[in-house]
Amino acid sequence: MKKNTTNVLIVGVGGQGVLLASELLSETAMSAGYDVKKSEVHGMSQRGGVVTSHVKFGPKVFSPIIPYGQTDLLISFEQAEALRAVDWLKKDGLIAVSTTRLVPPITAGGKFHYPDDPIADLRKKVKNVIAIEADKIARELGDSRLVNTLLLGVISTRLEFNNTLWEKVMRQKVKAKFVDINLKAFAKGRELAAKAAE
Amino acid sequence: MKKFLSGNEAVARGAYEAGVKLAVGYPGTPSTEILETVAEEYRSIYSQWSPNEKVAFEVGIGASLGGARALVTMKHVGLNVAADPFMTFAYTGVNGGFVVISADDPEMHSSQNEQDNRFFAKFAQIPFLEPSDSQEAKDFVLKAFEISEKFDTPVMLRMTTRVSHSKGIVEENEPVVLPEGSFKRDMQKYVMIPSNAKKRHVVVTERLDKLREYSEKTELNKEENNGSKIGIITGGIAYQYVKEVIPDADYFKIGFGFPLPIDKIRKFVDAHQINLVIEELEPYYEEILKAAGIKVEGKKYFSRLGELSPYRVSLGMKEAGIINEAYSAEIEPEQLFPRPPILCPGCPHRGAFMALKKLGVAVTGDIGCYTLAVLPPLEIMDSCICMGASIGNAIGMEKVKGHKKGVVAVIGDSTFLHSGITGLLDAVYNRSNVTVVILDNRITAMTGGQQHPSTGYTLMGEPTKSVNFIELAKALGVESVREVDPYDYKKLLEVFKEEIEREGPSVVITNRPCVLMPKRIMDKPHRVILEDCNGCSACFRIGCPAILPSKELTKRNRPKAEIDPTLCTGCSLCAQVCQPEAIVLVEEPVVR
């Protein structure tokens, strides 16, 4: 068991399934015997705003919020949102990001600009970036909502929990009829992460 | 058994383990999930949503008088609404244990102010407990009921957003077995006519002395000694943040926040060279300790605005000279476009605000999803104060002829039932000329879709009567009450215009349900014929998340529009404002 706390920040836009992803990760860490806390804000954020979920696990966790600049793993369901949260990451931290682009109407007026290539901007700042076309792959697998388990699959390769544990938690927490397809997405995420590491 | 629970879920569990018989409240972030969890997981507890917090509180009092343990839940500002029974129930005391949850919202994640309700407990002279994580949230509920019955007092459990909505590991136990309680007639105790109330006020003061003794002894207030010269006095979520920053300091952790254990804290402070009070929002502990002549510092280093965090605590610690470096970014931050919350695609409120904007009237607003109409690009809301305020605000502004084009109050269905009815009665009684728009989406939407007196269902899922807004408004004396489809832009303009010009108060009810709750509504989506789009941006200005700037530009370099077919619900409002008629229905099936 690791002695330090591991800090995982999951970000996205309201409705993308950020909260389920952080729930699965937390339950897995808890099953592995860790103390776990997670924090997010409900309410306004659900209406197309930014959603962030902090997950911390270790032998003993105090604050449910990650200290600024201390994130080990950043998972982003949207390109630009990864960039928005990038300063929360440690220098040697890892980003798993979906290439999903959600351009808000506010950028139509010309006053605000959605970055041309957020992933390229991320790579300029951070060494470890795994970008996957999660939306496209999820739809190929049969459901656009699989983005969260895909991304979890990606980061699972950087965490110590074995596959059996992840699977056990998914069987408990995901609706029965969606379990198999979610496990498939998870495995796909692991495969993509392995490819990215090559 | 160990479970991973939010603070709110833990409170619900605590209520179950404490043998609560009745749980009641009104939805409000961050408190809502407490009652939702009770209704879902602990069906042996009778639970209900009341129309507002005052009624909820009074229902809770009734259950307590009847000899049962009662839990009442609300957000911080909800306690303002319930303040009337709250202040006097402090005098009568309880029969069955009574705990009120005040879920405060430091940082105003979803609130109109960030008042610190610890002062409310002190104001009413009742004890409050303040948990710092989910396990404590559950344990403190049980403790609060014991204290309530032992000292014959209502007890407040003060939660904050980060305790309510953070999750942690909780050890679950079996519920306690309580003797069956019943009502005991005691008029001098419960009937607060002046002669009785005078005697009860004496009791309150004596009770406070006993509570003070208890506060000095209880384990809810505990010391953690690590042999440090630095003493930290803290409570609630702030404790967890400080532990993150300097785990090895000495701590005086306050769990029982009123009355404070002054003697114990004095001793703690005397034993340390540096003493800091670290608390979120107001200097509540700090002022009490300073008034008792105890030398501490607090708000000198830590802001009274917004919520604390490990980062903000570290900044204050550095300023106080306790640590050398605060947390900082190792990676340069990026300045990005904002992504404010906006009305959903297909939201039935959108059409009403488009029409009101066109008419140029003053719009007094209220609390709900529709308050988002204040943000760009709609930007059509002129006030938002508290639940139900829109109608009174409109009456006042109209009486002084504050806006030449007229004043319209907009209010949601749940908010209208919460505290808009009396406002509308005022409009009738005092011969006001206001127009009241009831945005009836048939659910309490902002807080995630709760039932209310017009949805036809109770919290526990039983079918019930559903209030009819048209008949209700007519019964209050409104002569002109009209219903309109908020997806019909022309009709909205016409009806609003007529009603605004009409003498006397009038009510317009928009009648489409929320597109998210209780069922997701998705009709055939629309698309943009790019060659017909002239880039006029009329569709962008309705603020629909499904309408995006296309990469294709017009000759004048303006972006054309495109519609995300997975988001579009087919409400057609954009098509109705598109002059070149470039927005049409998608005929082929769409994979969402």
Side-chain angles (χ1 to χ4, degrees), chain B residues 445-505:
Chain B
M446 183 85 250
T447 43
Q450 289 71 34
Q451 308 293 346
H452 63 61
S454 119
T455 63
Y457 287 92
T458 67
L459 169 60
M460 295 185 82
E462 286 164 319
T464 183
K465 290 236 180 202
S466 137
V467 75
N468 180 317
F469 287 109
I470 298 175
E471 285 175 24
L472 175 61
K474 284 187 176 161
L476 291 171
V478 182
E479 280 167 21
S480 179
V481 185
R482 295 169 74 177
E483 218 179 322
V484 59
D485 177 359
Y487 288 168
D488 186 343
Y489 182 58
K490 255 194 193 150
K491 191 81 193 165
L492 276 168
L493 277 175
E494 179 194 311
V495 170
F496 283 167
K497 199 160 180 287
E498 282 170 22
E499 294 310 316
I500 290 161
E501 282 165 6
R502 189 188 300 278
E503 284 287 304

Side-chain angles (χ1 to χ4, degrees), chain A residues 68-111:
Chain A
Y68 183 48
Q70 299 296 305
T71 304
D72 299 293
L73 295 171
L74 171 64
I75 307 175
S76 180
F77 285 48
E78 203 273 349
Q79 295 186 40
E81 291 313 314
L83 203 51
R84 192 190 302 280
V86 75
D87 48 324
W88 282 76
L89 195 69
K90 284 181 187 164
K91 211 170 187 173
D92 55 354
L94 170 82
I95 303 180
V97 54
S98 166
T99 55
T100 310
R101 240 179 121 86
L102 293 175
V103 183
I106 199 165
T107 57
K111 194 171 153 204

Side-chain angles (χ1 to χ4, degrees), chain B residues 234-479:
Chain B
T234 184
I237 190 71
Y239 165 78
Q240 304 289 355
Y241 299 152
V242 192
K243 280 293 277 188
E244 184 87 26
V245 180
I246 42 165
D248 297 330
D250 284 2
Y251 284 83
F252 194 98
K253 180 179 175 298
I254 297 167
F256 185 90
F258 181 77
L260 283 178
I262 297 289
D263 294 345
K264 226 175 168 181
I265 295 177
R266 195 190 305 277
K267 271 187 208 137
F268 177 83
V269 167
D270 286 347
H272 293 90
Q273 285 176 28
I274 303 164
N275 287 283
L276 287 179
V277 179
I278 305 180
E279 56 191 323
E280 225 165 34
L281 297 177
E282 302 301 319
Y284 166 81
Y285 299 142
E286 187 181 347
E287 279 176 3
I288 295 174
L289 296 178
K290 281 183 169 165
I294 300 172
K295 283 212 173 72
V296 289
E297 284 303 342
K299 291 297 164 188
K300 190 173 163 191
Y301 306 115
F302 304 92
S303 174
R304 61 202 286 172
L305 311 177
E307 65 181 356
L308 291 174
S309 66
Y311 173 62
R312 287 178 182 170
V313 168
S314 78
L315 291 177
M317 287 287 186
K318 187 180 176 219
E319 212 186 311
I322 304 222
I323 56 173
N324 293 325
E325 287 299 326
Y327 294 116
S328 64
E330 295 173 0
I331 298 166
E332 199 58 21
E334 193 85 9
Q335 279 305 318
L336 280 184
F337 61 89
R339 197 189 284 277
I342 42 178
L343 296 176
C344 302
C347 176
H349 301 329
R350 180 172 286 107
F353 288 108
M354 287 162 60
L356 291 172
K357 187 164 186 167
K358 180 95 180 165
L359 294 170
V361 288
V363 176
T364 56
D366 227 298
I367 309 273
C369 292
Y370 45 93
T371 319
L372 294 174
V374 70
L375 299 175
L378 286 170
E379 296 179 279
I380 177 70
M381 184 159 294
D382 299 301
S383 70
C384 167
I385 308 290
C386 67
M387 293 287 286
S390 59
I391 303 178
N393 292 167
I395 295 168
M397 198 191 286
E398 194 274 329
K399 286 286 177 201
V400 300
K401 297 279 172 281
H403 196 274
K404 59 180 188 303
K405 285 188 173 167
V407 190
V408 173
V410 293
I411 184 165
D413 43 342
S414 188
T415 307
F416 178 73
L417 296 169
H418 177 286
S419 45
I421 302 171
T422 43
L424 188 56
L425 185 63
D426 187 280
V428 173
Y429 172 51
N430 289 306
R431 307 160 60 100
S432 167
N433 282 318
V434 294
T435 303
V436 175
V437 178
I438 302 177
L439 300 162
D440 180 15
N441 64 0
R442 297 176 221 160
I443 198 91
T444 318
M446 183 85 250
T447 43
Q450 289 71 34
Q451 308 293 346
H452 63 61
S454 119
T455 63
Y457 287 92
T458 67
L459 169 60
M460 295 185 82
E462 286 164 319
T464 183
K465 290 236 180 202
S466 137
V467 75
N468 180 317
F469 287 109
I470 298 175
E471 285 175 24
L472 175 61
K474 284 187 176 161
L476 291 171
V478 182
E479 280 167 21

Side-chain angles (χ1 to χ4, degrees), chain B residues 46-360:
Chain B
Y46 168 79
S47 60
Q48 68 164 52
W49 292 127
S50 282
N52 68 30
E53 294 86 353
K54 178 176 184 288
V55 177
F57 200 101
E58 291 153 352
V59 170
I61 292 175
S64 166
L65 296 190
R69 284 189 167 183
L71 181 81
V72 184
T73 73
M74 57 195 65
K75 67 185 293 173
H76 59 330
V77 286
L79 195 57
N80 300 339
V81 179
D84 210 351
F86 175 71
M87 297 302 291
T88 300
F89 191 45
Y91 276 34
T92 69
V94 306
N95 184 14
F98 182 103
V99 175
V100 57
I101 310 288
S102 168
D104 294 11
D105 189 16
E107 196 78 23
M108 298 169 271
H109 294 286
S110 196
S111 301
Q112 65 269 38
N113 77 25
E114 56 180 351
Q115 67 187 51
D116 186 333
N117 276 10
R118 294 178 298 172
F119 287 99
F120 238 136
K122 185 170 183 261
F123 189 24
Q125 305 193 49
I126 64 155
F128 80 84
L129 274 57
E130 191 169 24
S132 74
D133 61 15
S134 296
Q135 179 69 55
E136 284 186 359
K138 193 204 81 167
D139 296 343
F140 284 19
V141 169
L142 284 124
K143 214 68 195 157
F145 277 105
E146 280 172 30
I147 294 165
S148 171
E149 284 164 3
K150 185 171 176 197
F151 295 95
D152 190 5
T153 175
V155 176
M156 180 203 278
L157 186 82
R158 192 238 187 184
M159 305 280 285
T160 53
T161 301
R162 293 290 178 180
V163 178
S164 282
H165 286 171
S166 293
K167 287 192 157 193
I169 299 173
V170 177
E171 181 76 47
E172 294 188 338
N173 301 315
E174 287 306 305
V176 297
V177 181
L178 298 170
E180 195 75 11
S182 66
F183 172 61
K184 296 176 196 77
R185 178 166 282 161
D186 188 343
M187 296 177 194
Q188 295 205 344
K189 185 171 187 290
Y190 296 122
V191 184
M192 287 302 93
I193 53 171
S195 56
N196 288 343
K198 277 177 193 165
K199 289 177 200 142
R200 290 303 303 177
H201 198 181
V202 178
V203 176
V204 169
T205 316
E206 290 166 356
R207 183 176 73 199
L208 214 49
D209 291 336
K210 290 178 200 149
L211 286 164
R212 221 168 258 130
E213 276 171 41
Y214 176 82
S215 181
E216 296 285 349
K217 280 183 285 183
T218 174
E219 277 298 299
L220 292 163
N221 297 323
K222 62 178 179 202
E223 283 181 55
E224 271 177 41
N225 287 309
N226 297 309
S228 172
K229 61 176 185 178
I230 300 159
I232 307 285
I233 299 140
T234 184
I237 190 71
Y239 165 78
Q240 304 289 355
Y241 299 152
V242 192
K243 280 293 277 188
E244 184 87 26
V245 180
I246 42 165
D248 297 330
D250 284 2
Y251 284 83
F252 194 98
K253 180 179 175 298
I254 297 167
F256 185 90
F258 181 77
L260 283 178
I262 297 289
D263 294 345
K264 226 175 168 181
I265 295 177
R266 195 190 305 277
K267 271 187 208 137
F268 177 83
V269 167
D270 286 347
H272 293 90
Q273 285 176 28
I274 303 164
N275 287 283
L276 287 179
V277 179
I278 305 180
E279 56 191 323
E280 225 165 34
L281 297 177
E282 302 301 319
Y284 166 81
Y285 299 142
E286 187 181 347
E287 279 176 3
I288 295 174
L289 296 178
K290 281 183 169 165
I294 300 172
K295 283 212 173 72
V296 289
E297 284 303 342
K299 291 297 164 188
K300 190 173 163 191
Y301 306 115
F302 304 92
S303 174
R304 61 202 286 172
L305 311 177
E307 65 181 356
L308 291 174
S309 66
Y311 173 62
R312 287 178 182 170
V313 168
S314 78
L315 291 177
M317 287 287 186
K318 187 180 176 219
E319 212 186 311
I322 304 222
I323 56 173
N324 293 325
E325 287 299 326
Y327 294 116
S328 64
E330 295 173 0
I331 298 166
E332 199 58 21
E334 193 85 9
Q335 279 305 318
L336 280 184
F337 61 89
R339 197 189 284 277
I342 42 178
L343 296 176
C344 302
C347 176
H349 301 329
R350 180 172 286 107
F353 288 108
M354 287 162 60
L356 291 172
K357 187 164 186 167
K358 180 95 180 165
L359 294 170

